[in-house]
């Protein structure tokens, strides 16, 4: 790590007055005339001054000059008084020359500079004074200069910029390095070149040291970025196709550069490169990158689809396309294809909702099933249940990503979709969520707070009671803490610009909710044991909506719905007896609305709900913890084929975890096409074990001396626990490819003649 330099090599050391004087040795001879005279000494520069002061004064004497020092030493020797000499100063050049061997001293250094250097070196432990001095000058860890050679130590040393005037000292340190396997690298004549080769931005690259183990040093960031930017542009992003990113130095910088390049050149992005990058991108970056290209246009929903197929169609096909039209393309409501697709969802819901309300709450795919889930979880551990009013599926995904990426929470299971209770307005949908009853129950009132007591556990807190929620968490007073927040829903009712709402205010509100959830977790004494369940009552219509100005007089408008029944074809009628409602309700078929809190400058409506569009109806539920233990994933492979022909691999993956595995990439050392990792377009469900076949384009040929036709293969599978952290697992030791190859006794491969 680079640190700021605190002083120069030739800055004179701070003088101190602690020079020890020995009254029995009062004479210092300085033939070099370089050394400073400490306080208390009498300077003698002539023989006259010698006779004037020596033996007369009680002060010690400092004799300067080569001729005078030789004369004084001879004078003392004749009188057997040489024992009175405390020290004979030697020229620092001679001392440093000995220390620098076999390298010469720099011819640019003056005698004064040599003295300063020698004085500094004298102040350090003499086992390795140059190492200590280099550590001080570069303000770096002494162990980098003193420790035994290692890969980590070498990397740390290469990350230190030594001032040019100190480079001779560094070269001495390099030459005196003990013999070691790494000595050839420590003795490099060009640190920058060695570092560049290790970082794979200069040829020949260094493979034998493995991946550079530290962050890219600051002083080479610009060169590193320039190299990768040029490679990405020159190859149109194809360089990523054969790159093992997790073994590449500076992967964080590379992914940022690749993200920026593909953001500007979206046509270069294909499925392989997107999968390669996804492992290293944040949720928001993935969304932004995916939005650079239009998603496939979904087919309308089949009316005979099962509820699970409908939920999958909504979250995997419809919503990405809907977001593209309303946020990226900003298509007008009259031109939106997604509005026509939503019509098929509206019709499916009209036909199938009455059948769904028959299922028991515990087994239902309707949203009031969440309360049953929460009650069950409370039997195992305390729960913080966060009910975010108006949080749609896409918003829920973004909130989860913030909690995972910014606050390191761990999902216990994948976020699951649910159908909101109809109609999608708070007074019905949230009441049912808490009560686990349909709004046609005699206890229904248009007040969700009256429904929560039916949970028969815990306490509900609103946004105005957060202080009480924090206090309750600190005291560990309940098994269930419910934070019911309408901050998000209120945002939709107060904004007048759709793009500003979606791109600025909405993400900011989600960040605030995530921050408060993390703060709640911090208040709880046993935070590791506190589960966090996030749910909602309904979603929001995406994009702007037209206002219906003329509607049947028998209807009482309430947003996108109205109380009452009509035969107007613009409406879908939900009869109270078939749909579990307190009275008949008519819902606008299209994305239009009857009434709203506010309008934009074009008199269009933003932030309305109550209808049957997929983004209003489909919401999510997720369960998170502060940490979650993951079980080991097991992968094995078995293959067979003839050499230099295509063959098959049977891959078996066992996932014992409660999260699915996504973004799969398989590495097999013995198969060239798999060396850089091949993406596997599959999702391994939670607690599932599957086997599938993949094609080997070219079965390897065995050498003539190979003792059997069973080729053991090694490698690994990298993956992501859905919406969470990445992981990897090695192939089991019994992974094998049978190579059907015949050898003659002379070692000739008979297959060549077949």
């Amino acid at each position: 790590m680079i640190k700021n330099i605190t002083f120069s090599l030739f800055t004179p050391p701070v003088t101190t007055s602690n020079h020890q004087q020995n009254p029995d040795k009062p004479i210092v001879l300085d033939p070099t005339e370089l050394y400073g005279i400490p306080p208390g000494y009498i300077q003698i520069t002539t023989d006259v001054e010698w006779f004037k002061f020596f033996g007369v004064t009680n002060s010690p004497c400092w004799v300067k000059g080569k001729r005078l020092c030789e004369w004084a030493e001879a004078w003392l020797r004749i009188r057997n008084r040489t024992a009175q000499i405390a020290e004979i100063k030697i020229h620092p050049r001679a001392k440093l020359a000995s220390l620098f061997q076999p390298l010469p001293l720099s011819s640019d250094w003056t005698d004064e500079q040599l003295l300063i250097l020698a004085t500094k070196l004298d102040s350090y432990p003499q086992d390795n004074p140059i190492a200590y001095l280099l550590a001080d000058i570069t303000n770096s860890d002494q162990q980098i200069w003193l420790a035994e050679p290692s890969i980590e130590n070498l990397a740390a040393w290469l990350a230190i910029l030594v001032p040019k005037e100190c480079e001779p000292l560094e070269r001495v340190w390099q030459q005196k390095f003990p013999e070691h396997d790494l000595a050839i690298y420590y003795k490099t004549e060009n640190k920058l070149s060695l570092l560049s080769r290790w970082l794979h931005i200069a040829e020949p690259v260094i493979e034998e040291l493995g991946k550079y183990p530290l962050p890219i040093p600051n002083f080479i960031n610009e060169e590193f970025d320039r190299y990768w930017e040029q490679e990405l542009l020159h190859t149109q992003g194809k360089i990523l196709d054969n790159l093992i990113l997790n073994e590449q130095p500076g992967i964080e910088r590379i992914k940022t550069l690749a993200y920026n390049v593909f953001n500007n050149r979206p046509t270069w992005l294909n499925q392989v490169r997107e999968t390669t990058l996804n492992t290293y991108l944040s949720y928001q970056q993935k969304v932004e990158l995916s939005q650079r290209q239009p998603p496939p246009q979904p087919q309308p929903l089949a009316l005979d689809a099962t509820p699970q197929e409908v939920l999958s169609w909504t979250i995997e096909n419809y919503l990405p396309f809907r977001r593209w039209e309303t946020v990226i393309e900003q298509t007008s409501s009259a031109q939106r294809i997604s509005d026509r697709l939503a019509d098929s969802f509206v019709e499916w819901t009209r036909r199938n909702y009455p059948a769904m309300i028959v299922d028991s709450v515990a087994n239902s795919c309707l949203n009031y099933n969440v309360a049953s889930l929460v009650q069950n979880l409370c039997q195992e551990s305390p729960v913080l249940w966060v009910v975010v009013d108006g949080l749609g599926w896409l918003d829920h995904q973004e909130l989860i990503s913030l909690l995972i990426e910014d606050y390191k929470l761990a999902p216990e299971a994948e976020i699951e979709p649910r159908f909101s209770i109809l109609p999608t307005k708070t007074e019905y949908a949230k009441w049912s969520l808490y009560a686990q009853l349909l709004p046609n129950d005699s206890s229904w009132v248009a007040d969700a707070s009256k429904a929560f007591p039916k949970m028969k556990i815990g306490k509900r807190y609103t946004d105005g009671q957060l202080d009480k929620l924090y206090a309750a968490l600190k005291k560990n007073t309940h098994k269930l803490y419910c934070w019911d927040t309408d901050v998000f829903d209120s945002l939709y009712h107060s904004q007048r610009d759709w793009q500003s709402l979606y791109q600025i205010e909405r993400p900011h509100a989600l960040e605030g909710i995530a921050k408060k959830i993390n703060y709640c977790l911090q208040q709880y004494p046993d935070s590791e044991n506190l589960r966090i369940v996030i749910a909602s009552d309904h979603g929001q219509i995406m994009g702007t909506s037209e206002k219906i100005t003329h509607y049947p007089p028998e209807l009482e408008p309430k947003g996108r719905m109205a109380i009452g029944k009509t035969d107007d074809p613009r409406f879908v009628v939900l009869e109270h007896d078939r749909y579990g409602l307190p009275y008949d309700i008519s819902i606008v078929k299209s994305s239009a609305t009857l009434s709203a809190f506010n309008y934009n400058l074009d008199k269009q409506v933003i932030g309305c709900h109550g209808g049957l569009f997929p983004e209003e109806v489909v919401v999510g539920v997720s369960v998170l913890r502060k940490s979650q233990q993951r079980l080991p994933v097991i992968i094995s492979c078995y293959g067979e084929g003839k050499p230099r022909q295509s063959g098959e691999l049977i891959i078996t993956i066992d996932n014992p975890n409660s999260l699915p595995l996504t973004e799969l990439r398989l590495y097999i050392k013995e198969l060239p096409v798999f060396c850089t990792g091949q993406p596997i377009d599959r999702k391994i469900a939670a607690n599932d074990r599957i086997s599938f076949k993949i094609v080997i384009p070219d079965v390897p040929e065995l050498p003539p001396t190979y003792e059997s036709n069973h080729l053991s293969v090694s490698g690994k599978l990298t993956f992501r626990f859905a919406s969470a952290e990445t992981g990897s697992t090695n192939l089991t030791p019994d992974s094998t490819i049978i190579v059907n190859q015949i050898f003659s006794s002379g070692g000739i491969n008979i297959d060549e003649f077949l």
Side-chain angles (χ1 to χ4, degrees):
M1 177 180 177
I2 303 301
K3 299 184 180 180
N4 293 329
I5 297 172
T6 55
F7 60 90
S8 168
L9 179 63
F10 297 118
T11 300
V14 178
T15 57
T16 59
S17 58
N18 60 351
H19 183 83
Q20 299 296 319
Q21 299 176 2
N22 187 344
D24 296 328
K25 295 179 177 291
I27 302 170
V28 174
L29 303 180
D30 177 15
T32 70
E33 300 186 69
L34 293 173
Y35 294 87
I37 301 175
Y41 280 85
I42 294 176
Q43 177 176 278
I44 297 177
T45 57
T46 65
D47 50 1
V48 174
E49 291 176 343
W50 172 268
F51 288 114
K52 179 179 179 181
F53 296 109
F54 182 69
V56 177
T57 178
N58 291 325
S59 299
C61 298
W62 190 285
V63 182
K64 297 186 69 172
K66 185 174 184 299
R67 185 197 64 78
L68 184 60
C69 285
E70 290 174 349
W71 176 86
E73 186 179 7
W75 189 90
L76 292 169
R77 188 181 303 109
I78 293 171
R79 292 161 178 77
N80 293 321
R81 297 175 64 180
T82 54
Q84 292 182 281
I85 300 175
E87 183 183 1
I88 300 177
K89 296 290 186 180
I90 63 172
H91 200 289
R93 185 175 295 277
K95 181 177 182 179
L96 292 176
S98 174
L99 190 61
F100 273 51
Q101 284 183 349
L103 298 180
L105 288 175
S106 173
S107 58
D108 295 332
W109 290 347
T110 65
D111 287 346
E112 288 74 16
Q113 289 175 324
L114 291 174
L115 178 60
I116 292 171
L117 177 57
T119 303
K120 287 183 176 181
L121 289 171
D122 283 342
S123 67
Y124 293 106
Q126 292 304 293
D127 58 327
N128 200 343
I130 289 179
Y132 287 103
L133 178 58
L134 286 169
D136 274 356
I137 287 177
T138 58
N139 195 19
S140 56
D141 187 349
Q142 287 185 349
Q143 287 306 304
I144 296 174
W145 306 94
L146 296 171
E148 288 296 310
S150 68
I151 297 291
E152 292 73 19
N153 183 271
L154 176 65
W157 169 60
L158 290 175
I160 295 174
L161 275 181
V162 172
K164 188 171 183 60
E165 64 182 1
C166 299
E167 288 177 356
L169 283 172
E170 187 177 38
R171 285 194 290 272
V172 172
W173 177 81
Q174 292 174 261
Q175 293 303 316
K176 293 187 178 297
F177 219 83
E179 289 302 318
H180 189 275
D181 291 343
L182 298 174
I184 186 175
Y185 301 108
Y186 279 98
K187 292 181 179 180
T188 179
E189 294 183 1
N190 191 326
K191 283 176 68 178
L192 184 59
S193 172
L194 177 64
L195 178 61
S196 299
R197 291 170 53 209
W198 197 358
L199 294 176
H200 296 189
I201 61 173
E203 295 290 343
V205 299
I206 295 176
E207 302 281 2
E208 59 271 19
L209 293 177
K211 179 181 175 181
Y212 184 77
L214 300 177
I216 306 301
N218 291 338
F219 63 84
I220 205 171
N221 278 345
E222 187 175 338
E223 183 179 346
F224 186 89
D225 292 353
R226 183 167 56 249
Y227 172 86
W228 276 104
E229 195 168 52
Q230 289 174 349
E231 287 295 308
L232 288 163
L233 292 171
H234 176 69
T235 65
Q236 297 185 359
K238 295 175 184 176
I239 190 172
L240 297 181
D241 296 350
N242 298 311
L243 199 66
I244 306 177
L245 280 183
N246 60 347
E247 296 180 9
Q248 180 65 43
I251 179 57
E252 289 299 319
R253 302 191 70 85
I254 295 172
K255 66 95 176 173
T256 299
L257 293 165
Y259 167 76
N260 291 335
V261 167
F262 289 133
N263 235 351
N264 294 323
R265 309 287 179 91
T267 56
W268 293 356
L269 187 64
N270 59 25
Q271 187 61 49
V272 172
R273 291 164 206 158
E274 189 170 349
T275 301
T276 299
L277 275 180
N278 273 349
T279 304
Y280 305 95
L281 297 178
S282 68
Y283 171 81
Q284 194 57 40
Q285 286 176 318
K286 291 177 191 176
V287 170
E288 290 174 2
L289 207 55
S290 67
Q291 290 176 349
R292 297 298 292 158
Q293 297 185 94
Q297 180 180 323
Q299 292 297 313
L301 186 61
L303 295 179
D304 60 351
T306 66
Q308 287 304 320
E309 288 172 340
V310 174
L311 291 171
S312 297
W313 177 86
T314 301
I315 64 179
E316 295 172 10
N317 305 114
Y318 170 83
L319 286 175
F321 187 75
R322 178 72 169 174
R323 176 169 54 193
W324 169 265
E325 282 202 316
T326 58
V327 179
I328 306 303
E329 289 290 280
Q330 302 180 39
T331 309
S332 67
S333 58
Q335 301 297 320
R336 287 197 295 249
I337 297 173
S338 57
D339 277 36
R340 311 291 80 77
L341 294 170
D343 290 342
S344 65
F345 181 93
V346 171
E347 181 60 21
W348 183 93
T349 305
R350 185 187 70 79
R351 293 191 183 193
N352 292 277
Y353 186 81
M356 288 194 290
I357 65 177
V358 175
D359 295 333
S360 67
V361 173
N363 298 315
S364 178
C365 55
L366 297 179
N367 198 39
Y368 58 7
N369 162 270
V370 174
S372 176
L373 169 67
V374 169
Q375 287 173 325
N376 291 334
L377 291 176
C378 286
Q379 303 304 311
E380 304 171 5
S381 67
V383 173
L384 170 63
W385 185 13
V386 183
V387 179
V388 184
D389 199 315
L391 188 76
W393 175 265
L394 295 176
D395 307 314
H396 196 138
Q397 283 186 313
E398 192 165 338
L399 176 59
I400 294 302
S401 74
L402 289 169
L403 291 168
I404 294 171
E405 293 170 10
D406 294 353
Y407 300 105
K408 310 307 177 189
L409 299 191
E412 194 169 279
E414 188 177 24
I415 175 177
E416 295 181 357
R418 297 283 192 277
F419 293 97
S420 173
I421 299 295
L422 299 183
T424 54
K425 285 187 69 66
T426 299
E427 56 265 39
Y428 308 96
K430 190 182 290 185
W431 185 93
S432 290
L433 171 64
Y434 290 144
Q436 302 180 59
L437 297 168
L438 294 171
N440 66 347
D441 189 83
S442 60
S443 63
W444 176 81
V445 291
D447 184 351
S449 66
K450 298 293 192 295
F452 188 82
K454 295 181 183 293
M455 289 289 296
K456 298 180 180 179
I457 185 173
K459 185 172 176 59
R460 172 179 171 268
Y461 301 87
T462 61
D463 292 318
Q465 299 169 315
L466 283 176
D467 57 333
K468 295 179 181 178
L469 170 60
Y470 300 150
L473 285 164
K474 284 181 181 178
K475 295 177 181 178
N476 190 12
T477 56
H478 307 297
K479 287 288 285 184
L480 173 62
Y481 308 84
C482 177
W483 173 30
D484 189 336
T485 173
D486 64 358
V487 169
F488 192 77
D489 190 63
S490 299
L491 183 71
Y492 274 77
H493 296 321
S494 62
Q495 297 300 309
R496 296 177 180 273
D497 182 87
W498 164 247
Q499 290 299 321
S500 173
L501 164 65
Y502 200 86
Q503 305 280 24
I504 301 175
E505 283 82 9
R506 185 190 64 89
H508 181 71
L510 292 174
E511 289 170 4
I513 293 170
K515 192 171 185 178
K516 285 187 174 71
I517 291 173
N518 184 61
Y519 186 74
C520 286
L521 194 62
Q522 292 174 349
Q523 305 313 301
Y524 195 72
D526 185 14
S527 58
E528 292 285 346
N529 197 37
L530 181 66
R531 278 188 170 105
I532 297 170
V533 178
I534 300 175
S536 180
D537 51 352
H538 61 78
Q540 312 278 355
I541 196 80
M542 295 186 71
T544 57
S545 303
E546 301 291 338
K547 185 180 184 301
I548 296 177
T549 54
H550 301 288
Y551 52 84
E554 65 269 21
L555 298 181
E556 181 185 342
K558 300 281 186 180
R560 281 178 35 77
M561 58 153 278
I563 298 174
K565 189 174 182 179
T566 181
D567 57 3
D568 190 316
R570 294 175 297 174
F571 294 85
V572 173
V573 177
L574 306 183
E575 296 89 355
H576 71 278
D577 53 344
R578 293 188 63 225
Y579 291 86
L581 301 172
Y583 31 69
D584 293 339
I585 288 176
S586 297
I587 295 178
V588 180
K589 242 184 213 182
S590 67
S591 61
T593 188
L594 294 166
S595 61
F597 288 94
N598 56 67
Y599 306 88
N600 65 14
L601 295 176
D602 297 325
K603 301 301 181 184
Q604 291 185 316
V605 180
I606 295 171
C608 52
H609 54 84
L612 297 179
F613 264 42
E615 62 263 40
E616 298 172 278
V617 175
V618 176
V619 292
V621 57
S622 54
V623 183
L624 301 96
R625 304 185 79 138
K626 189 172 183 180
S627 61
Q628 179 70 27
Q629 185 68 37
R630 309 292 185 202
L631 298 173
V633 174
I634 300 173
I635 176 172
S636 61
C637 72
Y638 173 83
E640 187 171 3
K642 291 184 177 182
R644 292 180 293 178
Q645 297 182 22
S646 63
E648 281 188 343
L649 271 183
I650 299 175
I651 306 295
T652 301
I653 301 176
D654 190 340
N655 175 26
N657 294 279
S658 58
L659 276 178
L661 306 181
T662 61
E663 300 175 19
L664 308 181
R665 200 173 186 91
L666 179 60
Y667 299 82
I668 301 178
K669 182 179 179 182
E670 291 74 17
L671 301 177
V673 72
F674 286 88
C675 283
T676 56
Q678 283 295 309
I680 298 177
D681 189 19
R682 284 179 178 269
K683 180 178 181 179
I684 313 301
N687 300 303
D688 196 13
R689 184 178 188 272
I690 67 166
S691 295
F692 54 91
K693 293 180 180 179
I694 58 177
V695 174
I696 313 172
D698 189 17
V699 175
E701 185 175 358
L702 299 174
T705 56
Y706 206 80
E707 295 183 354
S708 76
N709 64 345
H710 285 65
L711 174 65
S712 294
V713 293
S714 58
K716 65 181 179 180
L717 177 75
T718 62
F719 52 84
R720 180 183 292 278
F721 291 107
S723 303
E725 75 275 12
T726 58
S728 67
T729 186
N730 292 329
L731 289 174
T732 56
D734 59 349
S735 295
T736 306
I737 298 175
I738 296 177
V739 183
N740 295 317
Q741 179 174 331
I742 305 173
F743 294 99
S744 72
S745 58
I748 299 174
N749 185 354
I750 296 178
D751 289 333
E752 295 178 358
F753 302 96
L754 297 180

